[in-house]
Amino acid sequence: MAVPLHPYARRAGARLRAVLPDRATLATMGRSPRKDLFAGLTVAIVALPLALGFGVASGAGAEAGLATAVVAGALAAFFGGSNLQVSGPTGAMTVVLVPIVHRYGTTAVLTVGLMSGVLLIAAALGGAGRFMAYVPAPVVEGFTVGIAGVIGLQQVPAALGVPASGAPNVVVAAADAVVDFARTPHPAALALAAAVAAAMLIGARLRPGIPFSLLAVVAATVVTGLAGLDVATIGHLPAGLPAPSLGFLHPGELPHLATAALAVAALAALESLMSATAADAMSVSERHDSDRELFGQGIANLVAPLFGGVAATGAIARTAVNVRSGAASRLAALVHAAVLAVVVFAAAPLVAGIPLAALAGVLIATAVRMVEVASLRALARSGRGEAAVLVLTAGATLAFDLVTAVLVGLLVAGALALRQVARSAALTRVPLHEGLPPADHHAEEQALLAEHIVAYRIDGPLFFAGAHRFLLELAETTDVKAVILRLSRVSTIDATGALVLGDAIAKLERRGILVLVSGVRADHLRTLDALGVLDALRADGRVFPGTPGAIAHARHHLNGLPAATAGPATRAAGAGPRTEQRAPTRE
């Protein structure tokens, strides 16, 4: 007899099935194999120098970059949520990994990658993918510009042929390298880096379909060998991937590396989903699954460290090449990983002679191409707030780290958004009978009523960012005997807004002004009732579903008005508090 599963177990199983690749997804790999084979080969040619360069730049070595491109590239392609995404080592991730290597050592990078994989899988199972859509565009652009700046500055020592100073800030490290180069110049390294970067940037404009990065690196390697240039090279690489091992893992280090793992996981999620979104935009009918993409990146980062690979993410540049090369399914990304695996096993001796300055030139050109000038100009023209968020995010990336930069950008963007929302709220003095059906009273009667009763309509949100402004405006109300607050157009109200509203009511009543409220929405009553804002008014029968009842109650209360004035309006609006509370809402 089968034991029924606990509801939690059933939900967990359903959630796991939702992020695993299904038959329909895998079946897409057979629809255009020729296109995928060509696209995969093209991406591999572009990815080879980048994988080597980012591996060296991270401090883990060229072999770590290749292992990441092969293992993480294959697993993320199979388990990911995008049919067109290509994953591997990236410049953004390198920026995060360099400080970890300097502080904790190379093995710590493997531990951090494994921990980030666990965090990404947990995020996928928790459905966190949808939240990445809330990152504002200026934060993303500023983040990208900052990363480009960091990548370029990181390559300055290798491009100048001098050892890195080890300074924690990239600006300081680049300045130290320039000073060192001025003392002992290495023109050969600088010439190689400049030539490779120029070939990539100029070639991309003239012939965008040709892989100038690989051609330039090959040319630089040949020239170095033939001319006997005294420049640093990659050096010996192992032929093949190491056997999977957890020998790097030391449980005692896990608490110290938790913050770094969280930063790596956050960056992997952000960059991968940004890249997948870009792939969707470049294709006709593809749409990625955010949670499945996080799951695929989690599996990739969980397994890659076992083979000596560093943390990986979706790579925007390689994904763009994949789409533009005609990729039709995830088979292209799998082919890219397979081609790189052949290089690892069969061409390691050839790769060993590549000059580090040539790889620095590749990464400098990549950093330059990451900056989309047209997008930056468009955001700058869209408003000073967006431009400020972009500049602050980029500056924080250079001065601090990527996680701090994103947090700074989100906080500033959130503050600007709150200010904008608060400004959209308005307190408007409206004609007493605005929006109400005609009644059988005369113009003189309306004018007389307006001398004693005033109506205010609150439009938009009433919350902490702008509530105090309403208190000041309401408190300035003078020369009236009754104030009607029309609340049906309040879009949202928080505790601060409710308390400020109650304070305004209390101030008006202390001056002897009768306060009535109409049109309170049912979804706002919970907040108002929890803080007792309307308790006294409700006890006196001064809370009404619609404005006609509030007008009638005010007229009835103001017994100083002429008797002839009271009659018609009373018949039109109702005859007392009990009748008014049954009147329909007419806000």
Side-chain angles (χ1 to χ4, degrees):
M1 180 178 178
V3 178
L5 290 174
H6 191 278
Y8 289 113
R10 286 200 299 270
R11 282 197 290 271
R15 189 61 198 155
L16 180 59
R17 288 192 297 273
V19 296
L20 287 172
D22 52 26
R23 290 183 179 179
T25 300
L26 298 179
T28 60
M29 291 193 293
R31 60 190 181 189
S32 298
R34 289 185 179 180
K35 288 184 177 180
D36 288 331
L37 288 172
F38 176 77
L41 180 60
T42 304
V43 175
I45 292 172
V46 173
L48 177 58
L50 293 176
L52 295 170
F54 289 134
V56 173
S58 70
E63 63 273 18
L66 283 174
T68 306
V70 173
V71 178
L75 291 173
F78 184 81
F79 290 100
S82 171
N83 285 328
L84 305 177
Q85 176 97 289
V86 178
S87 299
T90 63
M93 188 59 73
T94 300
V95 173
V96 177
L97 297 181
V98 168
I100 300 173
V101 173
H102 287 165
R103 185 172 181 181
Y104 299 106
T106 305
T107 57
V109 172
L110 305 181
T111 304
V112 166
L114 187 145
M115 294 171 67
S116 70
V118 174
L119 292 173
L120 286 168
I121 291 172
L125 295 177
R130 63 184 182 275
F131 295 113
M132 301 307 295
Y134 298 111
V135 180
V139 175
V140 174
E141 289 293 339
F143 173 79
T144 304
V145 171
I147 288 172
V150 172
I151 293 171
L153 291 171
Q154 280 180 342
Q155 307 316 309
V156 171
L160 298 178
V162 300
S165 65
N169 184 270
V170 291
V171 178
V172 176
D176 291 342
V178 172
V179 172
D180 195 356
F181 179 80
R183 293 197 193 102
T184 55
H186 298 274
L190 179 58
L192 286 175
V196 170
M200 286 182 61
L201 294 174
I202 297 172
R205 286 183 172 274
L206 299 178
R207 292 286 189 272
I210 298 176
F212 281 97
S213 60
L214 183 63
L215 295 178
V217 169
V218 170
T221 305
V222 172
V223 170
T224 299
L226 294 178
L229 299 179
D230 183 19
V231 294
T233 60
I234 289 178
H236 173 71
L237 285 178
L241 296 175
S245 171
L246 280 173
F248 61 86
L249 185 63
H250 302 287
E253 295 180 350
L254 298 183
H256 303 291
L257 298 175
T259 303
L262 184 61
V264 169
L267 177 59
L270 178 64
E271 191 174 12
S272 298
L273 294 181
M274 282 170 46
S275 177
T277 302
D280 291 346
M282 288 185 287
S283 62
V284 177
S285 59
E286 292 293 338
R287 290 295 177 268
H288 75 279
D289 184 313
S290 296
D291 291 330
R292 188 174 288 177
E293 182 60 30
L294 290 182
F295 183 78
Q297 296 296 334
I299 294 293
N301 282 287
L302 184 67
V303 178
L306 305 182
F307 296 88
V310 296
T313 73
I316 296 177
R318 276 158 274 178
T319 299
V321 171
N322 192 40
V323 176
R324 289 167 184 159
S325 299
S329 74
R330 59 191 66 210
L331 178 61
L334 289 170
V335 170
H336 137 271
V339 172
L340 292 179
V342 171
V343 172
V344 171
F345 283 96
L350 297 177
V351 172
I354 295 176
L356 295 181
L359 294 181
V362 170
L363 298 186
I364 290 172
T366 302
V368 172
R369 293 171 63 181
M370 286 176 65
V371 180
E372 295 286 347
V373 178
S375 298
L376 297 181
R377 286 176 178 170
L379 281 173
R381 288 195 300 265
S382 66
R384 287 181 296 179
E386 284 75 9
V389 171
L390 191 154
V391 171
L392 283 172
T393 306
T397 304
L398 290 170
F400 305 106
D401 56 70
L402 296 182
V403 176
T404 302
V406 172
L407 290 177
V408 168
L410 289 175
L411 287 174
V412 175
L416 292 174
L418 282 176
R419 187 181 72 167
Q420 193 68 22
V421 171
R423 285 181 173 180
S424 69
L427 177 72
T428 308
R429 181 168 175 171
V430 295
L432 199 60
H433 296 280
E434 181 194 65
L436 302 180
D440 56 343
H441 48 251
H442 304 291
E444 309 86 52
E445 175 190 342
Q446 292 187 24
L448 187 59
L449 285 172
E451 291 178 4
H452 299 275
I453 307 172
V454 63
Y456 283 101
R457 187 183 68 230
I458 300 177
D459 298 273
L462 187 60
F463 70 131
F464 71 93
H468 294 281
R469 181 162 53 89
F470 292 119
L471 172 62
L472 294 175
E473 292 185 39
L474 279 174
E476 293 174 357
T477 302
T478 56
D479 300 328
V480 296
K481 295 183 179 180
V483 170
I484 299 173
L485 300 178
R486 300 171 62 174
L487 305 182
S488 66
R489 296 192 185 181
V490 174
S491 58
T492 185
I493 184 168
D494 69 351
T496 302
L499 290 173
V500 168
L501 178 64
D503 195 10
I505 292 172
K507 285 181 180 293
L508 292 172
E509 289 183 328
R510 282 197 294 269
R511 289 163 48 198
I513 297 175
L514 177 71
V515 180
L516 304 103
V517 172
S518 70
V520 182
R521 288 169 44 174
D523 54 327
H524 297 161
L525 284 175
R526 180 178 179 180
T527 302
L528 294 169
D529 289 345
L531 299 172
V533 173
L534 301 180
D535 289 354
L537 274 65
R538 189 180 284 111
D540 292 342
R542 288 186 280 150
V543 179
F544 301 88
T547 303
I551 295 173
H553 183 89
R555 292 178 61 259
H556 181 76
H557 179 80
L558 301 178
N559 51 21
L561 291 177
T565 303
T570 301
R571 289 194 299 273
R578 293 181 179 275
T579 304
E580 304 314 326
Q581 293 188 14
R582 292 195 301 269
T585 300
R586 295 185 184 274
E587 278 290 308

